[in-house]
Amino acid sequence: MKIKSVLSMGLVCAGLTVGGFTYINANAKYVGHNSTPTELRGTWYRYEGHNKWDTYKITKKSVKYNGHLLYSTGKDGSKKLFIKKYTKHSGDTFGIRGNGTSYILNGHFKYDYQTTGQYWLSHQKVSGHRVLKNYHQMGQYNVFTKNKVKHNYSYHKDSFKDIGR
């Protein structure tokens, strides 16, 4: 009986030792090109005035804008969903990719004018929720909220430093 308890105690200690060395990182990281990052998913609104909103609906496999399908994994060509991720250090030499992490939803195109721009979940909050930001050429930053708020938070800025923040 004593040998049995010593043996089981030894197995428990060995299991704890091995378990301590096999640490698993549980952070959610974006790894694919054919599904949208979880941080961007959901329905997003931007107030246009007169009780009208622009709406983005981003799911795992598709992106819709005002009810029209923009990109999907089931489509080909310009409607094909292909996510390209940019981080602080993967930008081009002119720095137009910004200082944080951003995503291009149809990133298989060669030129920026062929895309709908870069998207990121900003640290800025409206009504206690983080906002989705979009930059697409000529300094226009579009800001989308999770709730229908009667205020347009979009702005114009001649700087690329805000991209990804």
Side-chain angles (χ1 to χ4, degrees), residues 7-20:
L7 183 60
S8 55
M9 185 62 133
L11 288 174
V12 168
C13 289
L16 290 174
T17 303
V18 171

Side-chain angles (χ1 to χ4, degrees), residues 30-61:
Y30 176 72
V31 293
H33 290 289
N34 296 319
S35 63
T36 59
T38 54
E39 64 189 45
L40 301 183
R41 293 180 195 164
T43 304
W44 299 92
Y45 303 98
R46 181 183 63 180
Y47 189 61
E48 284 297 312
H50 306 290
N51 291 323
K52 294 183 182 177
W53 285 266
D54 282 335
T55 305
Y56 267 104
K57 185 169 183 176
I58 301 174
T59 63
K60 183 176 183 178
K61 299 291 182 182

Side-chain angles (χ1 to χ4, degrees), residues 97-102 118 120-123 161-165:
R97 297 291 176 217
N99 290 326
T101 300
S102 63
Q118 298 174 61
W120 66 94
L121 187 63
S122 176
H123 293 287
K161 290 191 292 185
D162 285 356
I163 297 175
R165 293 189 178 255

